[in-house]
Amino acid sequence: MKIPLDFQLNGHPTTAEVHPGARLIDLLRDTLGLTGTKEGCGEGECGACTVLVDGRPVNSCLFPAPEVDGSEVVTIEGLAEPGQGLSILQQAFVEGGAIQCGFCSPGMILAAKALLDRNPDPEEGEIRRALAGNLCRCTGYVQIVGAVRAASRKLRASAGEEVR
Amino acid sequence: MSSLRHIGRDLPRPDAPDKATGKALYICDLSLPGMLHGKIKFSEHASARIVHIDTSKAERLPGVRAVLTGENVPEVRFGFMRDNLALKKGRVRQFRDEIAAVAATDPDIAAEAVELIEVEYEPLPAVFCPRQALEEDAPLVHERDASGRPRKSNRLALEVGHATGDLAAARAASRHVVEGEFTTPLIQQSCMGTAGCIARFDARDNLTLWAKTQIPFLAQRDFRGALAAMGLAGRECRVIVPTLGGAFGTGLDTHAYEYIAILLAHRTGRPVKILYDRREEFACLSPRQSSVVHVEQGCDENGKLTFRDVRVLQDNGAYTSWGATYPSVMLLPATSLYQVPVVSFRADIVYTNNTYCQAMRGYGNPELTWAIESNLDELAEVAGIDALDLRRINVNRPGEVTPMGLKVTSCGLEQCLETVGRKLRWSERRGKQRGKRRGVGLASLVHVGGGGRIYRSDGSGVILRFDDYGNVHVSTGAVEMGQGLHAALVVGVAEAVGVRPEQVFINQTDTATCPWDVGTHASRGAYMALSAVMIAAKKAREKIFRFAAGAFAGEVGRNIEKRRKKNPDYRPPDFDLPASLEPEHFDLADGEVFLTAAPDDPALRVGLDRLLRAMHFCRGGDMLTVEAFYDPPTELPDWQKGRGNMSATYAYGAQGAAVEVDTDTGEVTLLGVVAVHDVGRVLNRQTLEGQIYGALAQGIGYALYEEILTERGRILNPGFTDYKIPTVAEMAFPIEVEFVETNDEQGPFGAKGVGEPGLVPTAPAIANAIYDAIGVRIRDLPITPEKILAALATRAERKPR
């Protein structure tokens, strides 16, 4: 038996059919071809598969696919408008040296986006708490925290602009 | 070349935008039409005879296309000592031994089929402790070597040693002597992207393998060996390297899963992908070697080191990877960290039935530096000399030749130590904060900084292909694995050739299109590739300028003509072109060729694109492609004697830590970390800092958190739930990174390799700070709260208050 789903994916109305036990990550990567979401551990420990469901960061490797019915899902592919270049947050990661191997970057950027959407001016401690579920083996996190701070500054400077 | 335009600038990495948008394609993202999914059945015993394998149920499962065991495939032998088989036959020697494999239309079917394979084992004696493995009656892990000769001991036939001077005499003459035993655990490299590959054969049996490798060309050689074993000698084996989700040493060997994918692809005639999940990555991929290091050092009454005696026992596990050659790099700190006149070094590498090990960042150096630098603090205390002074007294200097025969070109160690001392406020704080249970500690490092010759060639090739639009396409056998090689190549090529960074494009590493490179290890990637780039760029500029000598006047004429057409009042520049132009009249910068005598007038500058087009759109035309191969002027050491100048230059550095220890819970809080590294020359500060920050985090994990736990060869914590790598929450303390620029005469633009040094001295710096804070010395990594509490309890028993 398959469950029909109707949801918003990166701003586009999307329909799909999934098995009751399907994981959100498999729906995104295998069925819908959005491979920007990465699977790092499959048990919710590394955060590489983080996507936003109704603005909330979730581990898509644990999140049941049927639950996105009626929701708004944002993946890393949904941050930059086509033809508009990178979002301010993505640009901050690129310019801040916050990306090395890049495998954790999609999840890390989405976790940071969820934070900045909620709180455009977070303290460093809040940034660290918001990203504590996202493992990175390359960077030591210094430039990641720096990039989130830089993005926060830029976003507030261009006040009113949505955090993309 | 005039002043530098791009070197030292913080240009964003060229690979970052794709990685920030999810466009970068890692092995997990690749698939091919008709592709099958492979899954491996691993051993359930550490040492056993395989009595029987029943694959019938698996074969009957719909969707299964092949089930392989050691009995129905050609024997594919691999490994540094060729002691491993792709699929084991008759006998398993470790828990993760590959005994069968399935290819199916879907990963879930493949996993289900593997579960249906039934194996009957007869357990055999096993040995898990490297010391016990050396005892005479220990069970032999391998009864025979790769050529079938009987083996008598579990000791590997890899002799690495060193002896300089009269050890007994030096020990006897020393005023102070301290010895100790230091141990390090198994460490998971913990790449965020797990291991995997795709194997595909064409209809003529040529193989293409998409591999997560750091050694595409040595891997190609290995895989060609497998093809020969499969009766396909001489067939092409093309290795393509996709975007790598980290490597850290895991890509320095070829792996059973790759050979299994090759066998499955050949058996089924379809592309086969094998992708490890995190549990397999932990339990079935080789971790960093554990080690036991015994060290003894002495000094005279002035603190001058008199001797160093080091003995290493390394647990190899059941098979041999390049990681078994750790002692080759251990020789560096053993013989050459600080000036030591008398040195003895010996390493024993032993087979056990534990998981077999492979390389990780630092390659033996962190293991040894941990022991030497911890022990040095103990020596300083016994000698009554300040620990920083002791290091100053014995510091390495430029021009010195060490006992190993390392020729030190530039050396900024003294400056690194001074800076760390100043930043730690050493004289104010060292030994003066015990009341607050706070302390400071430091440690130094020496590492290869100009390649590391552990193979007959340490070479790196590069091809620069110029297109009609003035762009330079770079092909290199070196591998971007996250470290920033492509960023270094972009600035290096832009600088050395004289084009804008956005005119430089890096091609995917592919053995079919890229020149040979020994591999991206030993902190050599940027150093070697850029050294080759310097040679290639010189060739390109010579060709461009030779062509310009004939073509420049005409192109300038066209420049002026164009301007006149646009603006009838245009007045050409007041400059007479020499009647005869020679190549040496020209320069090239920002993608434009100009005369050094008249660099500024736009009408006297000709776009490189125009010259390149003119160069081949003519009779007898030429496409501009240049190549270069750089193999540094170094020596392949004699390992038994432990002598040879294995690197063109050496990287130095010092790190310091400030800690606070909670003596009730044993918890260590890092108050700050300082890393000062002699990098020769900063090519791109942001990328360089990223390398140091990242390595520091790994060093901190090594010091305080990380350890693969085993019980009779079985890995007990195969996941991030029970194996802790530092998160952003742990890394919440001030980190100061500073660079000492010694402008090495050998290095490209003066630079040294820097990929590994950042994690080498971190653990001993922290351990030394902990001792300074609470007076207990932990000699066994990681330094957990339990070990600190146990050490405090032992001390309390010894010294009742």
Side-chain angles (χ1 to χ4, degrees), chain B residues 536-586:
Chain B
K538 190 163 176 281
K539 287 186 189 173
R541 288 168 65 91
E542 280 167 8
K543 279 193 171 179
I544 291 164
F545 297 155
R546 215 177 305 137
F547 181 76
F552 191 75
E555 294 296 332
V556 165
R558 272 187 279 280
N559 266 351
I560 292 170
E561 202 55 38
K562 249 190 226 164
R563 283 170 164 76
R564 271 211 188 102
K565 266 190 193 159
K566 266 192 196 159
N567 174 11
D569 299 333
Y570 174 76
R571 285 172 58 85
D574 187 20
F575 179 81
D576 292 327
L577 285 177
S580 152
L581 282 168
E582 300 297 333
E584 52 272 22
H585 291 147
F586 293 99

Side-chain angles (χ1 to χ4, degrees), chain B residues 207-257:
Chain B
L207 169 67
T208 302
L209 194 82
W210 286 261
K212 190 167 181 277
T213 183
Q214 297 168 248
I215 48 154
F217 288 90
L218 296 190
Q220 180 188 40
R221 193 167 179 268
D222 285 357
F223 297 137
R224 281 176 64 94
L227 290 182
M230 292 162 66
L232 305 173
R235 298 289 92 195
E236 159 72 341
C237 167
R238 176 180 182 184
V239 177
I240 301 176
V241 187
T243 307
L244 297 190
F248 310 120
T250 57
L252 292 187
D253 285 89
T254 50
H255 303 273
Y257 74 82

Side-chain angles (χ1 to χ4, degrees), chain B residues 86 390 480:
Chain B
L390 182 74
E480 170 65 79

Side-chain angles (χ1 to χ4, degrees), chain B residues 66 87 91 102 176 190 199 201 289 324 331 342 465 526 573 610 627 650 706 734 747 760:
Chain B
L87 283 164
R91 164 89 204 256
V102 171
H176 308 284
S190 304
F201 281 92
Q289 311 243 358
L331 278 169
V342 176
R465 190 177 65 78
R610 269 167 61 194
E627 57 188 308
Y650 297 90
E706 295 180 37
V760 172

